[in-house]
Structures are given as C-alpha cells and as structure tokens.
C-alpha cells in the first residue's frame, strides 16, 4: 500500500516521540512491503513562532490531502501568556474542526507488567481493556455562550446542544467497534436531569436496537460512571458519551494504567484522514532530556494503521512488539519505578527491532 502520512511533531517532547512513531511506521513498511510518503508540518507553539498562526494554511492543506496524521503535542510555558493573540491549543481545535473529526477514540488498557504503577489496587486494574468514544465537536463546548448583567453583578451561560444526527453517527461508530470486541456498549449521560441526555438515550438506544442487535447496550448516569470506573473498571468494554462528560471520564480512565506515557488516542470523522496522538501533553519539564516515553505515540501508530489504513495485521504487530518489549523488562523512566531505564530513542529502537523480527 502507498499512503501519505503527515507528521505534526509540535512542541516540547512532541518531536522526540513522533520520531519514534516514525521509526515504527518505517519498520512496518519494510516488514509488510508498504510505502509511506511523509510530510512534516508545523502546528502549535512552533508554528506561532514561525508564522504567527498556530495552524498555518499549508499544514491544513497537507493534512486534508493525507491518509492519516500523526501528532506529538502542542503548548508550553513560552506560549502561556493569557494576553497572547493566539495560543498553541487553537491549532489543535482548528485542525479537528477543519477535518470534521467528531469522535475521539481512547483505548485504556492495563498492561499486566505495569499494573503496579497504577494508583489503584492490582486486583481492580489487572485486565482492564476499555475503549472510550467521546463526541468531540458538539455539546456545551460549542453551544451558545455569553455573559449578561445581573443584580449581583453578572451572570454567564453555556448551552449544551446536540441533534439526532450527531448522536447517531458516534453511536454507530462505537457500536461497530463493540462488535469487534466483547460486544458491550455503555452509554453515559445525565438523563435524570438533562433534556439533551434524554435525546442521547432515545437515539443511541434505537440505533443499537435496530442496527446492532448483537451488541449488549446499557446506560449509566455520569455520576455513577465516575464511581464505577475506579471501583469496577473491568465491567466495561466500549463506552460512548458526549463531549463534556467524555473529557472528564477519559482523563479519569487515563489514571487506571498508571502512566500518561502509555495511552494513545485517535480523532476520527466519517471520511477523510484521522488524527492520531498520545494523550499526554508536551511535558516541558522533561523536553530535550531524551527520557520521554514514546510508547503512547507508537500505540497511536497502531491505531493509525488500523483505523485509517485498514491494516489490522500491521496494527497488531506494533501492539505485540510493545507488549514483547515491556515483557522483556524494558522501561522508560516514567514506568521504571526507580529501576533501570532506557532512553526515548532506545525504547523506539527496541520496538522497531521487535516489529522487524516478528
Ligand atoms: P503533560 O501531559 O505534558 O505532562 C504531565 C506530566 O506527565 C509531566 O510530569 C510530564 O513530564 C509527564 N509526561 C507526559 N508525557 C510523558 C511521556 N511521554 N513520558 C514521560 N512522562 C510524561 O501535561 P501538562 O504538564 O499539564 O501540560 C504541558 C503542556 O502540554 C501545556 O502547555 C498543555 O497545554 C499542553 N498539553 C497539550 C496536549 C496536546 O497537545 N494534545 C494535551 C495536554 C496538555
């Protein structure tokens, strides 16, 4: 297969981890006979420095013409001035919007050899394997908002708004994923209070009943979910929810495996390229030291192969290589629990060698 992949290294540790993701992609190309055309573009703080914009037009054009995008991270103290005209995160929000990426997909998997890095007890975390679908382009983050005078000073408001089509498309995506896994879908809402949640419940229930009869469907209130996620996370397979609840729950879920450096994510639309990235930020505290964990980015590469290029065997080869390297005892500092560790590029090379050998 020939594919065009845009690399958006971004800021801080972004370039360090994307370089290791590219190594994994090259190993897959050599092993399975594919050819990737890479184009590296600017996004975030480095793009502001070079062009004044967090998302230069040439980046948008390159992304739109690609099959998939691999992003590092954006942001850092240099661009944190609240009075700044533009901020690095604006680049991220804009590219998601330009590409109509409405679903954020986050696997949360506990690696047995790393379970003791979790803040939770081993018996709760071991075996956790959850796939989150968070709606990304609707809800309270995008509804009408504002401020108006009030007798006590001011009042402010945000509006949560969703339509049937927005709920149907992400429910379908999540239910389809559940079919390929343990066939269980949990929809999270606040239907006892919010009208928007009642629409979510009606629509998602109908979609699963009519189109995915083999998928077991359940609903949970978001407050109950916040508890269940840390008390019995093994009960969940695929979870689908709206933007605000998903924002909070996916970060809660990220704590289960114990390290930010292990979790990838994908932002997907109905068609066109997907955007793949680690869930962590630019980690300015460790940038340039060569100690960042590149595994989240390498696992994002596996998602890229699976979701944008339909290369399931290759995706599994990357995931298996990560498993093998971890099982052999190799660790970056963040997951070494004070023990012996390897550098960012050593970890990338170990995975690369394992893909080649597999
Ligand atoms: P962060 O994820 O960058 O770092 C949090 C902690 O985790 C730090 O101690 C860091 O050293 C550690 N860490 C993160 N990734 C790691 C890795 N791969 N290996 C080892 N350790 C790792 O979050 P933060 O410190 O809150 O944010 C730093 C900057 O990143 C901010 O400017 C923030 O806005 C930005 N940010 C960007 C994204 C993104 O680009 N998607 C996401 C979150 C935060």
């Amino acid at each position: 297969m020939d594919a065009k992949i845009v690399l958006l290294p971004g800021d801080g540790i972004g370039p360090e981890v994307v370089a290791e993701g590219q190594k994994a992609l090259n190993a897959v190309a050599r092993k399975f006979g594919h050819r990737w055309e890479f184009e590296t573009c600017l996004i975030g703080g480095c793009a502001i420095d070079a062009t004044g914009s967090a998302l230069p037009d040439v980046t948008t054009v390159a992304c739109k013409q690609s099959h998939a995008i691999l992003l590092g991270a954006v942001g850092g103290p240099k661009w944190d001035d609240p009075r700044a005209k533009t901020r690095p995160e604006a680049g991220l929000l804009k590219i998601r919007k330009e590409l109509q990426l409405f679903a954020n997909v986050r696997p949360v998997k506990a690696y047995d050899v790393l379970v003791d890095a979790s803040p939770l007890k081993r018996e709760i975390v071991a075996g956790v394997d959850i796939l989150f679908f968070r709606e990304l382009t609707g809800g309270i983050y995008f509804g009408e908002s504002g401020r108006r005078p009030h007798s006590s000073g001011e009042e402010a408001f945000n509006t949560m708004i969703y339509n049937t089509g927005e709920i149907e498309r992400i429910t379908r995506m999540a239910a389809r994923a559940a079919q390929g896994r343990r066939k269980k879908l949990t929809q999270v809402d606040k239907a006892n209070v919010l009208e928007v949640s009642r629409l979510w419940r009606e629509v998602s229930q109908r979609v699963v009943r009519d189109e995915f009869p083999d998928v077991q469907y359940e609903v949970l209130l978001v407050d109950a979910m916040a508890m269940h996620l840390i008390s019995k996370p093994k009960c969940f397979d695929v979870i689908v929810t709206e933007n605000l609840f998903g924002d909070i729950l996916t970060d809660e879920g990220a704590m289960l495996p114990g390290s930010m450096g292990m979790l990838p994510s994908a932002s997907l639309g109905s068609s066109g390229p997907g955007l793949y990235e680690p869930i962590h930020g630019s980690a300015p505290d460790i940038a340039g030291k060569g100690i960042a964990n590149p595994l989240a980015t390498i696992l994002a590469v596996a998602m890229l192969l699976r979701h944008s290029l339909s290369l399931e065997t290759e995706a599994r080869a990357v995931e298996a290589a990560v498993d093998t390297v971890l099982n052999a005892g190799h660790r970056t500092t963040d997951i070494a629990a004070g023990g012996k560790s390897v550098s960012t590029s050593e970890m990338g090379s170990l995975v690369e060698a394992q893909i080649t050998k597999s």
Side-chain angles (χ1 to χ4, degrees):
M1 156 181 250
D2 286 6
K4 178 175 169 187
I5 299 171
V6 168
L7 303 175
L8 303 178
D11 308 314
I13 61 169
E16 300 168 45
V17 293
V18 166
E20 303 313 311
Q22 191 176 11
K23 266 190 204 167
L25 278 164
N26 283 333
V28 166
R30 284 193 303 271
K31 171 94 187 165
F32 294 90
H34 302 303
R35 217 168 39 198
W36 317 133
E37 180 199 333
F38 291 110
E39 182 173 354
T40 302
C41 296
L42 294 173
I43 191 169
C46 58
I48 295 174
D49 288 351
T51 70
S53 162
L55 185 72
D57 288 345
V58 339
T59 300
T60 308
V61 171
C63 288
K64 284 186 174 169
Q65 290 170 348
S66 73
H67 292 91
I69 302 149
L70 183 65
L71 173 90
V74 300
K78 184 175 175 195
W79 304 280
D80 265 353
D81 183 352
R83 290 161 306 172
K85 262 204 332 270
T86 177
R87 292 172 61 97
E89 294 77 13
L92 212 48
L93 294 180
K94 192 160 172 227
I95 192 70
R96 287 177 182 153
K97 197 165 177 219
E98 288 279 347
L99 299 174
Q100 296 180 34
L101 304 173
F102 64 81
N104 184 243
V105 187
R106 274 198 198 184
V108 171
K109 186 178 160 195
Y111 287 85
D112 204 40
V113 287
L114 297 181
V115 157
D116 294 323
S118 171
L120 300 179
K121 290 193 191 100
R122 166 173 273 275
E123 56 270 28
I124 289 182
V125 181
V128 165
D129 182 4
I130 301 172
L131 190 61
F132 276 102
F133 283 77
R134 165 190 167 195
E135 206 289 332
L136 207 55
T137 53
I140 202 161
Y141 294 171
F142 294 92
E144 195 192 339
S145 65
R147 289 185 186 207
R148 56 197 169 208
H150 185 263
S151 54
S152 64
E154 272 187 302
E155 65 181 7
F157 63 94
N158 292 85
T159 319
M160 184 184 269
I161 182 160
Y162 271 106
N163 60 51
T164 305
E166 288 171 328
I167 303 167
E168 282 174 343
R169 65 185 183 181
I170 189 150
T171 302
R172 282 196 187 102
M173 206 183 253
R176 218 169 287 131
Q179 278 183 321
R181 294 169 46 99
R182 302 193 300 281
K183 296 191 171 49
K184 182 173 172 193
L185 180 63
T186 306
Q187 195 268 131
V188 181
D189 60 34
K190 189 70 183 165
N192 54 343
V193 179
L194 300 176
E195 195 53 40
V196 173
S197 285
R198 291 194 268 273
L199 183 66
W200 263 83
R201 205 171 269 208
E202 281 164 34
V203 173
S204 61
Q205 213 156 18
R206 168 179 52 76
V207 167
V208 179
R209 187 194 58 221
D210 294 353
E211 302 175 31
F212 303 90
D214 56 333
V215 172
Q216 181 199 341
Y217 173 85
E218 68 172 10
V219 286
L220 262 185
L221 295 175
V222 63
D223 38 344
M225 185 69 200
M227 291 191 292
H228 292 333
L229 200 52
I230 50 167
S231 59
K232 44 178 192 173
K234 270 181 269 194
C235 293
F236 301 105
D237 178 16
V238 178
I239 297 172
V240 64
T241 191
E242 63 90 50
N243 204 345
L244 170 65
F245 299 158
D247 192 0
I248 298 164
L249 290 174
T250 52
D251 270 14
E252 188 189 351
M255 288 313 294
L256 296 170
S259 170
M260 300 277 279
M262 295 297 303
L263 295 179
S265 92
S267 299
L268 306 175
S270 302
S271 58
L275 177 75
Y276 301 84
E277 59 187 306
I279 69 153
H280 60 72
S282 58
D285 53 333
I286 57 166
K289 295 185 178 164
I291 58 170
N293 184 345
L295 293 180
T297 308
I298 292 171
L299 291 166
V301 162
M303 293 186 84
L304 180 158
L305 293 164
R306 173 173 295 123
H307 296 289
S308 281
L309 306 183
S310 299
L311 297 174
E312 181 62 30
T313 306
E314 287 81 343
R316 286 186 190 207
V318 173
E319 288 163 348
V322 170
D323 274 339
T324 307
V325 166
L326 287 173
N327 287 335
H330 303 292
R331 304 280 187 271
T332 42
T333 317
D334 57 315
I335 51 174
K340 199 167 161 278
S341 60
V342 297
S343 70
T344 308
S345 74
E346 282 166 341
M347 182 57 100
S349 299
L350 284 162
V351 176
E352 178 189 26
Q354 196 54 45
I355 295 169
T356 308
K357 211 161 82 180
S358 64

